């Protein structure tokens, strides 16, 4: 069946991003694309595929590509400026965490290939937290800890063993 037919059959396919609000969801869809890209690029076969064809697909290169996409194609000025400020000042320590090297013979205990996905996860959670705080401020109130925790992914309900502290600021990256 064609994609058009599949989309027509299930008109709720974007509900997770639109929250049932028409014309919403672009930013959520963009985050989904970025997450999928970081996870896909973390696979060693993806690194090797690019390497053998003369392309650099290191975690640093993927992060730079996402940064440049945001810089040139994201039309929300505030969103774009916040992301670029975070990235260009080595936000969430990506300058040290993300490698420019391609590891061809990676040892099974080497988890460096996961840093990009984990870094983007941290970035996304910090954006969610900031947006939650800004929404509370617009309502002339303080954001609650429960609201901040609810804005984190994965939630405690989804993965109670993922986080190593009650504030969900330290996680078990092996899970």
């Amino acid at each position: 069946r064609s994609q058009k037919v599949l989309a027509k059959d299930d008109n709720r396919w974007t509900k997770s991003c639109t929250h049932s609000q028409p014309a919403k969801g672009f930013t959520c869809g963009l985050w989904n694309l970025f997450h999928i890209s970081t996870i896909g690029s973390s696979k060693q076969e993806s690194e090797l595929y690019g390497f053998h064809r003369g392309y650099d697909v290191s975690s640093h290169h993927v992060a730079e590509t996402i940064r440049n996409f945001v810089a040139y194609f994201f039309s929300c000025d505030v969103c774009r400026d916040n992301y670029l400020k975070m990235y260009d000042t080595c936000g969430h320590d990506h300058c040290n965490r993300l490698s420019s090297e391609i590891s061809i013979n990676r040892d099974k205990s080497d988890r460096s290939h996961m840093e990009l996905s984990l870094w983007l996860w941290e970035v996304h959670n910090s954006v969610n937290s900031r947006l939650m705080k800004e929404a509370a401020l617009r309502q002339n109130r303080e954001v609650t800890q429960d609201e901040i925790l609810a804005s984190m992914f994965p939630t405690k309900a989804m993965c109670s063993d993922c986080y190593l502290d009650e504030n969900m600021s330290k996680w078990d990256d092996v899970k």
Side-chain angles (χ1 to χ4, degrees):
R1 295 174 19 158
S2 74
Q3 287 180 346
K4 188 175 184 178
V5 171
L6 288 173
K8 184 179 180 191
D9 287 349
D10 184 3
N11 60 8
R12 297 168 293 142
W13 69 278
T14 61
K15 192 171 188 172
S16 66
C17 281
T18 63
H19 304 287
S20 299
Q21 298 175 26
K24 298 281 184 188
F26 173 78
T27 305
C28 174
L30 192 59
W31 277 114
N32 284 338
L33 173 65
F34 293 162
H35 285 293
I36 290 166
S37 298
T38 64
I39 292 166
S41 68
S42 72
K43 303 291 185 192
Q44 189 169 22
E45 56 272 15
S46 298
E47 291 179 339
L48 294 175
Y49 179 80
F51 177 76
H52 290 298
R53 285 161 181 75
Y55 297 105
D56 177 8
V57 289
S58 67
S59 59
H60 172 77
H61 181 76
V62 174
E64 279 288 313
T65 301
I66 291 171
R67 181 245 181 253
N68 291 336
F69 183 91
V70 170
Y72 297 110
F73 300 107
F74 197 28
S75 61
C76 170
D77 293 337
V78 173
C79 307
R80 180 180 57 246
D81 293 346
N82 282 331
Y83 187 89
L84 294 177
K85 179 180 178 186
M86 176 282 305
Y87 189 89
D88 294 344
T89 59
C90 294
H92 299 275
D93 199 30
H94 76 83
C95 292
N96 294 312
R97 291 172 65 183
L98 305 182
S99 175
S100 295
E101 302 295 318
I102 298 173
S103 49
I104 294 174
N105 295 316
R106 185 166 48 219
D107 183 285
K108 289 198 185 265
S109 65
D110 179 7
R111 301 185 52 78
S112 63
H113 63 286
M114 295 179 65
E115 278 301 312
L116 176 60
S117 298
L118 293 172
W119 171 79
L120 188 68
W121 179 32
E122 286 179 32
V123 170
H124 194 171
N125 278 341
S126 71
V127 169
N128 288 345
S129 178
R130 180 180 49 77
L131 292 174
M132 188 67 67
K133 290 174 186 175
E134 289 173 1
L137 186 63
R138 284 191 301 273
Q139 298 168 357
N140 294 319
R141 64 178 184 82
E142 295 288 322
V143 68
T144 67
Q145 185 65 13
D146 287 341
E147 289 174 314
I148 290 178
L149 295 180
S151 73
M152 298 293 145
F153 180 85
T155 63
K156 282 244 186 188
M158 293 171 92
C159 184
S160 60
D161 295 337
C162 290
Y163 294 99
L164 301 175
D165 66 338
E166 286 302 310
N167 292 328
M168 296 170 60
S169 61
K170 297 178 184 153
W171 63 89
D172 184 347
D173 63 0
V174 177
K175 297 274 184 219

